[in-house]
């Protein structure tokens, strides 16, 4: 081999080694991100200055919440289903710079009461009104995500003296009504499997995690073979080794591993989420006395409605509400700013935290003095 070819070979070898090094580093970073995504959230939560607290209502129901440093106007955050108040970790630090933050666990979630008598929307709204009046001690700006957005709207309608303005984050207005709910991802992936798990006879080893990976609507998105190979079989093998540990799979992105984490629900008297809450969305009892159109028409305070980009597949709504639903909600509320087609999934505060924080910070300028 002549010197030119030898030099070229050395350069190629060096380039190949560098390329392999970069690839290995990228793979290692990908795996680390997929398996430890929650550590960053824990660090953000710790640095936010928000402190876990709890309060007991008359009647004995406990409300768990996080409270940020005082110094700004009060802001109440109401998370969506299956998560606790710490789900707001990505935005708590930024919000605490300008607001006195109070983030609650809805009943059936986190450290709050796990008693189905408290779960229906109207009773939960009354409890939130008590919380604002008694714990916060003054009217507040309220932000609610998903089903928490439904509660935020109802709180503004029922307790106008306690709510100064509202941010509603991708709430499932109208898509949750009985004639439409079965054609939504939330119903097919969550509420129907929850109902089947709670009501059908099952073997002792059948946990909610096993049931979910066998019946999740995500099978239709992955394809049965892909879902079985990439998710169901690996999860079940790991559960066979340790049924008490929710598996994480290094090849799945954080959104998918988080979906698995959320199956760590109330199964044996412990856990952060009571499946009976989802059962009430399946049979509609959560909405007793809650007319969504009538409620929205009574919301007189300034509202910002955030609506993520939505998709449909085979007639199934993969978002919280359609574009038509968002426009209908917008029209029903007299003072509503609609921010539509946000390029994010359902969890806007996680995926677009700056937009979420900016939207809340803009609300005081619209409050009627």
């Amino acid at each position: 081999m002549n010197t030119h070819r030898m030099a070229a070979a050395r350069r190629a070898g060096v380039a190949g080694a560098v390329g392999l090094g970069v690839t290995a580093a990228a793979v290692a970073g990908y795996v680390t991100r997929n398996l430890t995504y929650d550590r960053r959230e824990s660090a953000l939560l710790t640095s936010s200055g928000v402190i876990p607290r709890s309060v007991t209502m008359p009647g004995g129901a406990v409300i768990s919440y996080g409270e940020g440093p005082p110094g700004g106007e009060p802001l109440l955050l109401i998370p969506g289903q299956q998560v606790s108040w710490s789900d707001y970790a990505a935005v708590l630090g930024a919000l605490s710079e300008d607001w006195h933050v109070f983030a609650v666990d809805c009943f059936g979630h986190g450290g709050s009461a796990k008693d189905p008598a408290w779960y229906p929307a109207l009773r939960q709204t009354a409890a939130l009104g008590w919380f604002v009046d008694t714990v916060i001690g003054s009217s507040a700006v309220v932000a609610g995500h998903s089903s928490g957005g439904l509660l935020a709207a109802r709180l503004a309608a029922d307790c106008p003296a306690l709510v100064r303005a509202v941010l509603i984050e991708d709430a499932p207005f109208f898509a949750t009504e009985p004639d439409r709910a079965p054609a939504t991802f939330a119903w097919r992936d969550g509420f129907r499997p929850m109902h089947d798990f709670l009501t059908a006879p099952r073997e002792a080893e059948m946990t909610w995690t096993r049931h979910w990976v066998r019946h999740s609507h995500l099978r239709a998105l992955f394809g049965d073979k892909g879902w079985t190979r990439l998710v169901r079989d690996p999860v079940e093998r790991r559960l066979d080794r340790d049924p008490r540990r929710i598996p994480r799979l290094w090849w799945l992105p954080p959104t998918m591993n988080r979906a698995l984490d959320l199956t760590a629900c109330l199964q044996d008297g412990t856990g952060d989420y009571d499946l009976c809450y989802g059962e009430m969305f399946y049979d509609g009892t959560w909405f007793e006395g809650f007319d969504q159109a009538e409620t929205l028409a009574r919301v007189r305070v300034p509202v910002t409605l955030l609506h993520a980009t939505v998709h449909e597949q085979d007639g199934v709504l993969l978002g919280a509400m359609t574009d038509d639903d968002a426009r209908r909600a917008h029209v029903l509320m007299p003072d509503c700013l609609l921010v539509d087609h946000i390029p994010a999934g359902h969890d806007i505060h996680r995926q677009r935290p700056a937009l979420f924080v900016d939207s809340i910070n803009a609300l005081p300028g619209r409050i009627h003095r």
Side-chain angles (χ1 to χ4, degrees):
M1 182 180 292
N2 63 37
T3 56
H4 293 295
R5 294 172 71 180
M6 290 175 65
R10 284 196 298 271
R11 287 195 297 270
V14 170
V18 170
L20 287 173
V22 171
T23 300
V27 170
Y30 176 79
V31 171
T32 300
R33 179 176 65 95
N34 291 350
L35 296 180
T36 63
Y37 69 91
D38 56 328
R39 294 182 188 175
R40 178 176 178 273
E41 293 188 358
S42 295
L44 289 171
L45 191 62
T46 300
S47 65
S48 71
V50 178
I51 305 299
R53 301 191 188 282
S54 65
V55 62
T56 301
M57 293 180 57
V62 173
I63 298 177
S64 171
Y65 66 101
E67 181 179 357
E73 295 295 316
L75 169 67
L76 173 65
L77 301 175
I78 309 172
Q81 200 160 163
Q82 289 187 262
V83 298
S84 65
W85 64 262
S86 63
D87 187 65
Y88 285 107
V91 295
L92 286 174
L95 289 173
S96 293
E97 293 177 5
D98 298 295
W99 300 87
H100 186 175
V101 174
F102 296 82
V104 297
D105 287 339
C106 293
F107 291 130
H109 296 71
S112 288
K114 306 292 196 310
D115 179 356
W118 288 97
Y119 297 172
L122 297 194
R123 190 161 193 197
Q124 197 151 194
T125 300
L128 289 168
W130 176 89
F131 183 88
V132 174
D133 190 40
T134 305
V135 178
I136 296 178
S138 67
S139 62
V141 169
V142 179
H145 174 229
S146 194
S147 57
L150 300 176
L151 292 172
R154 187 73 195 199
L155 182 63
D158 289 357
C159 306
L162 297 177
V163 178
R164 303 185 68 213
V166 179
L167 182 131
I168 299 173
E169 180 190 355
D170 217 37
F173 289 117
F174 313 121
T176 43
E177 293 180 342
D179 60 329
R180 293 183 52 199
T184 64
F185 176 81
W187 198 87
R188 295 193 181 197
D189 188 70
F191 307 140
R192 181 173 64 184
M194 289 176 191
H195 168 77
D196 293 341
F197 179 80
L198 290 171
T199 59
R202 60 181 182 271
E203 303 84 3
E205 69 274 9
M206 181 57 68
T207 63
W208 167 239
T209 303
R210 285 187 189 271
H211 185 86
W212 182 77
V213 297
R214 294 181 183 184
H215 300 282
S216 169
H217 186 70
L218 288 171
R219 290 177 305 153
L221 306 182
F222 276 71
D224 280 334
K225 289 183 179 179
W227 178 257
T228 299
R229 184 175 68 255
L230 292 173
V231 182
R232 176 180 168 175
D233 285 353
V235 166
E236 295 223 48
R237 284 195 296 269
R238 284 160 175 76
L239 289 174
D240 288 341
R241 293 196 295 268
D242 186 355
R244 297 165 299 178
R245 183 177 180 182
I246 303 299
R248 287 189 186 173
L249 306 178
W250 67 262
W251 56 89
L252 293 182
T255 51
M256 280 300 305
N257 276 310
R258 183 168 179 263
L260 286 168
D261 283 343
L262 293 181
T263 63
C265 62
L266 187 66
Q267 296 173 154
D268 58 359
T270 62
D272 285 340
Y273 176 67
D274 186 354
L275 291 176
C276 292
Y277 199 95
E279 170 77 356
M280 288 187 171
F281 276 73
Y282 175 86
D283 62 20
T285 54
W286 194 86
F287 291 93
E288 286 181 353
F290 188 170
D291 182 308
Q292 296 182 49
E294 181 272 339
T295 296
L296 291 173
R298 290 192 292 112
V299 177
R300 300 293 175 175
V301 298
V303 177
T304 295
L305 175 59
L306 302 182
H307 182 220
T309 301
V310 297
H311 305 280
E312 291 190 22
Q313 179 173 311
D314 300 325
V316 177
L317 176 63
L318 302 181
M321 54 182 164
T322 66
D323 291 339
D324 287 343
D325 293 330
R327 285 190 289 268
R328 183 183 175 194
H330 170 232
V331 170
L332 281 166
M333 291 182 283
D335 187 1
C336 179
L337 170 66
L338 173 61
V339 183
D340 211 358
H341 300 114
I342 297 171
H346 185 46
D347 298 335
I348 297 169
H349 63 277
R350 284 174 162 270
Q351 297 174 11
R352 299 291 302 277
L355 182 148
F356 180 84
V357 172
D358 288 346
S359 297
I360 289 181
N361 288 342
L363 281 169
R366 295 174 51 211
I367 295 173
H368 308 304
R369 301 294 178 179

